[in-house]
Amino acid sequence: MTMYPGLIRALFNNSRRRLTHLLCALAVTFLLSAPSAVCSHDEEPSGAAGSLIPLSVLGKAAIGLEVKAIERKPRPMVIRVPGKIEILPSRQFEQHAPLSGRISKVCVFPGDAARQGQELAVLDSLEMNQLAAQLLQSKLDTESEYARQKTALDEEVRQAEARLNLSESSYKRFLRLIEERIAAQKDVLQAQNELELAQTRLKTARQNREITLKALEGKINLVQQPLRQRLIMLGMDETRVEEMLKRQTTFTSVPILCARAGVVTAIHASPGQSIDPTVNLFTIADLSRVWATANVYEDDMSRMRLGEPVEVHVHALSGQAVTGRLTFIGQQVDPQTRTLPVRAELDNPGLRLKPDMFAELCVETSDSTPVMTLPHDAVIQKGGHWLVFKEMPGGFLPLFIRTGRTFGDQIEVREGLAPGDRIVVRGAFQLSAELIKSQEGNAPFASPTEGEHAGEAEHGKTNGTFSLNMQTGLVVICAAFLLGLAVSAVFMSRGKGVHLTVNDLKEPEFAPPGHDGSTSAETGSSTRHPADQGAGGKYNPHD
């Protein structure tokens, strides 16, 4: 063990490097083969989804089978872009307090539906008390003035009536005297003139009273009506104002009423908060109509036209579509995203669409592309994938397909079929049940021999597929291993190799017996202890 120390060290280092090479190769093999194994499970299935399903004429009639040839037809080109639901700015408003005060009560919560005129909060305001007192004072002043004027005018009318009565009695007395030839004719004429004068004065007094009272009533309305209207505009009910004027008592609390119907989206008021008319208390939005907004890329800008139909799919509504029209196309491109904003206005019955919901906008452009479509009843879902039944000689073959857009009751077929293929468009669900039964070996419309042959063919196909997958996997692993060796060699090329020299293979010289293992200062050679020698004082190479 001590004869060739340099050789032993070199072999040890070489083994360690080889082990490092092997570990690097295995690591690269694992990293390269693992993703391919994962990706193989995520591939979309294609081709046949099962064995051929034979059906007799009686079976076709019992199922009610209908087969049609698929063909390409021009369909409008649809641009799909992600977007969201937004509130129309013209249908959203902020509710402010009409005057300064302190909030004593909040009557609604976020999300509540508020009707026009509904009480949202109650405000205690000194300004309201002063305004009510001013209305009461003006009412008292104008009514007292009206009463004084009416009393004076009524007195004038009574005096005019008394003069008229006196003139009438005097005129009648002179008429009797003139009949008895006691009075002169001029006295009769004078009494008649006084009677006419009294009648004129009475008429004038009555007209004066009527005109003056009407003027006073107009003054009362002119003074009180603005104050009354201001109280009503500030939120006071007209009945409550009339009750206040009747009882001649003021009030300090005033309700904050909703200006328009909508949904309370935000509340910024709290009891005890002091506010002024500039403070926003509630945010209310009318959600009967909303926007669906999105950003389209530059490549699709030329295809966009105002008024084009838009179909909006909202994920929160289980894919239900809402239709509308494109009402806005932006005029400026976002320099960061290179997109152009567009939006569509939608009706929102039942308020199903909520602000900030994620949505997908499908804009039908005037450009058309030929596509293959099938009725929804012709496409069956199996294991998270879609399949159809193609008519073949001797039966119907289930095929996996890849679907695309939806056109009413039609669905686009992107892969898996070719124009002219005859596909089952009615009765596909019953054929799907027959497919399950045939896979279990219990197909009622297939003979036993046919079922056995179908099972053997399917089993052979499965084994062939498995063998092909195994071969592909082995090839991938071998290639990855070789690539790992190459990569590890490149990374380890800077390490030192094994370099054996003559000194490493040369036998060491030993001092004669009797010397200790110390180094001689005179000769500079090393000596070995007799215990390190073999029997008889000779060197034993096996040691």
Side-chain angles (χ1 to χ4, degrees), residues 263-313:
V263 176
V264 180
T265 58
I267 297 179
H268 311 286
S270 59
Q273 179 182 359
S274 297
I275 59 170
D276 56 56
T278 62
V279 177
N280 176 26
L281 302 179
F282 303 91
T283 302
I284 300 175
D286 181 8
L287 301 179
S288 59
R289 291 185 67 83
V290 294
W291 275 348
T293 61
N295 295 315
V296 298
Y297 291 102
E298 289 180 299
D299 298 340
D300 299 325
M301 293 179 187
S302 59
R303 301 186 181 95
M304 294 289 179
R305 299 290 186 276
L306 289 176
E308 288 180 336
V310 178
E311 196 174 71
V312 180
H313 298 269

Side-chain angles (χ1 to χ4, degrees), residues 459-511:
H459 181 69
K461 180 180 178 181
T462 304
N463 290 338
T465 304
F466 177 75
S467 177
L468 180 61
N469 292 337
M470 287 290 294
Q471 294 175 4
T472 305
L474 290 175
V475 170
V476 171
I477 292 175
C478 292
F481 183 77
L482 294 176
L483 181 60
L485 286 176
V487 172
S488 62
V490 171
F491 279 103
M492 299 298 297
S493 61
R494 295 183 179 180
K496 293 182 179 179
V498 179
H499 301 285
L500 298 180
T501 62
V502 177
N503 294 330
D504 295 330
L505 299 177
K506 185 178 180 180
E507 293 186 8
E509 297 179 356
F510 298 96

Side-chain angles (χ1 to χ4, degrees), residues 63-182:
I63 293 177
L65 219 60
E66 182 180 352
V67 181
K68 288 185 178 180
I70 189 172
E71 57 183 2
R72 292 186 182 274
K73 294 182 179 180
R75 294 284 184 177
M77 186 176 181
V78 178
I79 299 175
R80 297 175 179 268
V81 289
K84 64 178 181 179
I85 304 299
E86 293 185 6
I87 302 173
L88 270 73
S90 60
R91 292 177 175 264
Q92 183 177 8
F93 68 96
E94 297 177 347
Q95 182 71 54
H96 295 258
L99 67 172
S100 302
R102 186 184 299 274
I103 295 177
S104 61
K105 181 181 179 182
V106 177
C107 306
V108 293
F109 297 94
D112 289 351
R115 64 182 184 278
Q116 185 175 3
Q118 179 180 343
E119 186 176 288
L120 302 177
V122 179
L123 182 69
D124 291 338
S125 174
L126 182 61
E127 293 183 18
M128 177 62 70
N129 187 19
Q130 294 174 351
L131 186 60
Q134 184 179 356
L135 175 60
L136 284 176
Q137 185 63 39
S138 64
K139 179 177 180 295
L140 293 176
D141 293 342
T142 53
E143 286 182 351
S144 62
E145 183 181 357
Y146 182 85
R148 288 195 304 270
Q149 292 287 346
K150 188 175 183 300
T151 302
L153 294 173
D154 290 343
E155 181 64 25
E156 290 181 2
V157 171
R158 283 196 297 270
Q159 292 178 2
E161 289 175 348
R163 293 192 186 94
L164 178 60
N165 293 333
L166 180 61
S167 299
E168 286 180 351
S169 61
S170 177
Y171 177 70
K172 291 178 180 179
R173 182 171 62 84
F174 277 109
L175 287 178
R176 288 196 301 270
L177 292 176
I178 198 67
E179 289 178 355
E180 296 176 359
R181 298 179 182 275
I182 299 175

